[in-house]
Amino acid sequence: MARKDSAVLHFDNDLANRQTLLDVVDAFCRRAGGDEQGVGRIRLALDELFTNIVSYAYDDDGSHRITVELLRSPAGMVTITLIDDGRAFNPLDQPPPDLDSDIEDRAIGGLGIHLVKTFTDSCDYSRDGDTNRLTITKGFGQARPGREKEGRAR
Amino acid sequence: MKVSISQDGPVTIVALEGKVDTDTCNDVETALLAEIGKGATRMVIDMAEVDYISSAGLRSVLIAGKKIKAVKGRVAFCNLRPLIFDVFDASGFTTILTVCGARDEAVAACRA
């Protein structure tokens, strides 16, 4: 069984840091017992969130710090929180995308947050002082949804 | 990201290799639109060697799909890995785009 584990990472708001962040998260989730597909889903969720922050969160061109907190429970529940000091914005508030109309009418874009919601077990936003906090969870191993009902936050 | 283009009769085969994400989506979009610009109306996009796609990549794929639809052409995707199929499915792409198993099936779907 995987031990409890945690890490705190800091990145500048630069898309050049995206791959490093995703590789670290990838390794962290694998240690939690994640398989190829589960780890890929969480990697995608983080990619969408980090890319959104870097691309849209800031009103200036300056350098900002984005903090990523990783936590793994002994059972394999991974909790990841992204903290940025961009303008107050809850990405989870946006309406769901249109997934039903024909290709001609389908909007281009707007799928990122939908994928985050689909591919995580839970996601929560809060505004804490001057920072946005976005937390996602995903169960691997024994904490995989459907395998263990107790001990889950929802 | 590597893009390889080949021809199977009237069908243009575009084989993608690598990650289709914020770093590469412009290259993918440019390559797909270039083929459409050269007159390709039947296109198979082979994803066998694609191990990752994000919403930025989906955007490129949808833009190309819309272009081909606009010229009354056909586009079919094949060889999606489980994660890629997952992303297509969650995005509602499996209902608006033709997603096949093997390349042969995709080529047949485009010839039909």
Side-chain angles (χ1 to χ4, degrees):
Chain A
M1 182 186 289
R3 287 177 298 109
K4 188 173 181 233
D5 190 8
S6 66
V8 179
L9 312 163
H10 300 290
F11 295 94
D12 277 347
N13 56 322
D14 187 333
L15 286 180
N17 295 322
R18 195 179 62 93
Q19 214 54 252
T20 309
L21 163 65
L22 298 182
D23 288 347
V24 171
V25 168
D26 200 295
F28 192 87
C29 292
R30 279 179 203 282
R31 285 202 302 276
D35 60 7
E36 194 71 31
Q37 195 155 355
V39 172
R41 286 174 159 215
I42 215 71
R43 187 183 176 97
L44 176 61
L46 254 293
D47 185 359
E48 301 293 347
L49 294 170
F50 185 78
T51 301
N52 271 357
I53 293 169
V54 172
S55 306
Y56 306 116
Y58 305 105
D59 294 319
D60 58 47
D61 295 327
S63 174
H64 293 265
R65 191 164 81 164
I66 299 167
T67 300
V68 182
E69 297 175 350
L70 305 171
L71 182 69
R72 184 180 77 220
S73 78
M77 174 64 75
V78 170
T79 303
I80 305 174
T81 303
L82 284 105
I83 304 162
D84 69 79
D85 65 350
R87 84 179 78 89
F89 178 69
N90 179 358
L92 306 176
D93 263 354
Q94 73 177 35
D98 163 23
L99 300 179
D100 300 316
S101 58
D102 289 339
I103 187 165
E104 297 91 335
D105 301 321
R106 207 58 81 84
I108 291 177
L111 289 168
I113 295 302
H114 169 71
L115 291 171
V116 172
K117 290 178 179 173
T118 306
F119 286 169
T120 55
D121 295 349
S122 74
C123 36
D124 290 291
Y125 168 84
S126 66
R127 181 73 179 173
D128 180 11
D130 291 334
T131 62
N132 297 300
R133 295 177 64 93
L134 201 296
T135 299
I136 61 175
T137 66
K138 178 94 179 159
F140 297 109
Q142 292 190 344
R144 206 170 70 217
R147 260 192 78 170
E148 187 185 76
K149 298 290 181 211
E150 290 102 357
R152 294 195 53 215
R154 44 195 287 230
Chain B
M1 166 54 59
K2 193 172 147 201
V3 183
S4 313
I5 314 279
S6 59
Q7 204 69 31
D8 184 342
V11 180
T12 303
I13 314 278
V14 181
L16 303 177
E17 189 179 331
K19 293 178 165 41
V20 190
D21 59 13
T22 44
D23 291 340
T24 60
C25 60
N26 288 338
D27 294 344
V28 172
E29 185 179 326
T30 302
L32 295 175
L33 295 186
E35 291 308 308
I36 298 167
K38 282 189 263 177
T41 57
R42 289 158 192 265
M43 186 183 282
V44 166
I45 302 179
D46 192 328
M47 311 279 279
E49 300 303 325
V50 173
D51 57 10
Y52 183 80
I53 189 165
S54 71
S55 67
L58 292 175
R59 187 176 180 282
S60 313
V61 162
L62 185 57
I63 288 171
K66 280 175 179 270
K67 283 268 187 217
I68 291 192
K69 184 82 178 180
V71 296
K72 305 215 181 315
R74 285 170 192 272
V75 61
F77 293 78
C78 64
N79 290 320
L80 274 65
R81 296 183 185 190
L83 177 66
I84 310 299
F85 184 86
D86 239 18
V87 176
F88 265 53
D89 201 36
S91 307
F93 276 29
T94 46
T95 56
I96 50 170
L97 298 169
T98 304
V99 177
C100 302
R103 185 188 282 193
D104 288 356
E105 285 174 52
V107 170
C110 283
R111 282 175 182 273

